Amino acid sequence: MSKAARVSGGWIDEHHEGVRYGLAGVVLVDEQSDFQRITVVDSERYGRGLLLDGCWMTAERQERHYHEALVHPALCSAKAIERILVIGGGDGGTARECLRHRGVRHLDMVEIDGLVVELSKKHLASLGGGCWDDPRFLLTVGDGIAWAANCADASYDVVIVDGSDPAGPAEGLFNRRFFEHCRRILRPGGVFATQSESPEAFRQVHLDTVRLLQDVFGHADPLYGWVPMYPSGWWSWTFAAADGPRYQSPLPERAAAVAAGCQIWSPRWQTGAFEAIPAFIERELSA
Ligand code: SPD
């Protein structure tokens, strides 16, 4: 069921389990698509932002925390990076970061909600940057879960899932069958990456996601960072590969080509972010 953003007294808030996460600002657009409620705001501190079903997705001056962390550990470590699949990611931020890698020849982005793309292009143009017109980029508006299920084996070098929380259209992006297809469609030496929720505000989903990926791929590790407007501000991304934890070792040449243009990600940051596993999560994962 669609949830609206909570707006009152000049604040736009996401409410999550008795805590609210808000920005001061104004609502620019509030529309119901076939899938969800889409809200675009203009905030004082972080510029324009996007909420889906009342949950923060991104904002112009905060998005790099999220997109750089999701993309570069995978794109810097997969054996090859010619063919990339992004599932979700309708604001364009993930595709933009992928396309900074010159080795990418083709990127399929499969986003279920065409209205998210349309509104992001119009109101959050800096998110996608030049991705929409990049000749390597192909957008399909459709179901990413069905796309993965219908793809031939070994179709992609990297598969990235940039969905929202596991409710509504994103629910199926967190289950075993979907992850098994993601593994199947990766080429040898391929890397899978997904946002894996907050170790604090979504602790159980986080743990279940990491465990499932470890089981399906054989190797999977969470990386921890911050997205201040998300519940608890403490976020995670999980990387998986069938042939070993290659995602922990960025290839120096690829890393050097993108690091200078990053705000958060660097090989050094990434090493610390994998190591920053909270003790309670490490205990639970090794139990
Ligand atoms: N709770 C928010 C999870 C959002 C993950 N996706 C964000 C989309 C940014 N491209």
Side-chain angles (χ1 to χ4, degrees):
M1 196 184 55
S2 283
K3 254 187 346 178
R6 308 275 193 111
V7 184
S8 110
W11 288 86
I12 301 113
D13 292 326
E14 170 178 349
H15 288 209
H16 180 74
E17 295 183 344
V19 190
R20 61 189 196 196
Y21 302 91
L23 297 180
V26 294
V27 173
L28 301 177
V29 178
D30 192 27
E31 285 189 33
Q32 179 66 42
S33 74
D34 291 341
F35 301 95
Q36 55 209 340
R37 184 83 165 252
I38 307 173
T39 311
V40 178
V41 306
D42 196 10
S43 71
E44 288 175 15
R45 177 152 171 86
Y46 294 119
R48 293 194 175 181
L50 173 72
L51 300 97
L52 297 180
D53 282 344
C55 300
W56 287 110
M57 291 294 125
T58 197
E60 286 172 318
R61 294 197 289 274
Q62 202 179 98
E63 52 97 5
R64 297 180 67 171
H65 295 238
Y66 176 95
H67 294 118
E68 291 177 9
L70 176 63
V71 168
H72 299 307
L75 272 282
C76 286
S77 65
K79 187 169 171 208
I81 52 171
E82 283 184 11
R83 287 181 55 80
I84 313 295
L85 172 63
V86 174
I87 294 179
D91 54 64
T94 293
R96 180 205 69 217
E97 282 303 307
C98 289
L99 292 168
R100 291 181 54 218
H101 288 264
R102 305 281 301 266
V104 174
R105 295 257 176 86
H106 179 83
L107 186 152
D108 278 311
M109 184 170 110
V110 186
E111 162 62 52
I112 200 162
D113 196 336
L115 192 56
V116 170
V117 174
E118 198 181 303
L119 292 172
S120 298
K121 279 169 129 173
K122 185 165 175 199
H123 298 284
L124 296 152
S126 67
L127 265 285
C131 88
W132 311 112
D133 301 315
D134 191 308
R136 299 171 293 168
F137 173 83
L138 185 64
L139 168 69
T140 300
V141 174
D143 180 354
I145 298 167
W147 181 280
N150 293 327
C151 266
D153 293 1
S155 295
Y156 294 101
D157 297 301
V158 174
V159 174
I160 299 181
V161 180
D162 180 11
S164 38
D165 305 320
E171 204 165 349
L173 299 176
F174 290 81
N175 71 40
R176 176 180 289 274
R177 180 183 283 263
F178 172 65
F179 291 151
E180 284 171 349
H181 280 300
C182 290
R183 177 181 166 156
R184 181 185 61 74
I185 66 176
L186 275 175
R187 291 172 167 170
V191 175
F192 173 82
T194 185
Q195 75 89 1
S196 47
E197 303 288 324
S198 165
E200 197 275 331
F202 293 89
R203 177 178 170 166
Q204 199 55 50
V205 181
H206 173 64
L207 282 167
D208 291 347
T209 305
V210 177
R211 281 199 190 104
L212 203 45
L213 288 169
Q214 288 177 337
D215 196 44
V216 169
F217 283 82
H219 304 273
D221 288 286
L223 168 149
Y224 297 92
W226 291 266
V227 186
M229 68 192 181
Y230 288 177
S232 85
W234 190 12
W235 213 253
S236 78
W237 300 262
T238 297
F239 299 85
D243 65 346
R246 56 166 57 244
Y247 42 78
Q248 290 185 350
S249 309
L251 296 166
E253 202 177 309
R254 280 195 217 148
V258 294
C262 285
Q263 219 171 66
I264 307 293
W265 184 86
S266 71
R268 181 178 179 175
W269 178 85
Q270 172 178 318
T271 301
F274 274 120
E275 287 297 314
I277 185 164
F280 67 92
I281 298 286
E282 190 175 17
R283 271 197 299 274
E284 293 237 22
L285 288 175
S286 52

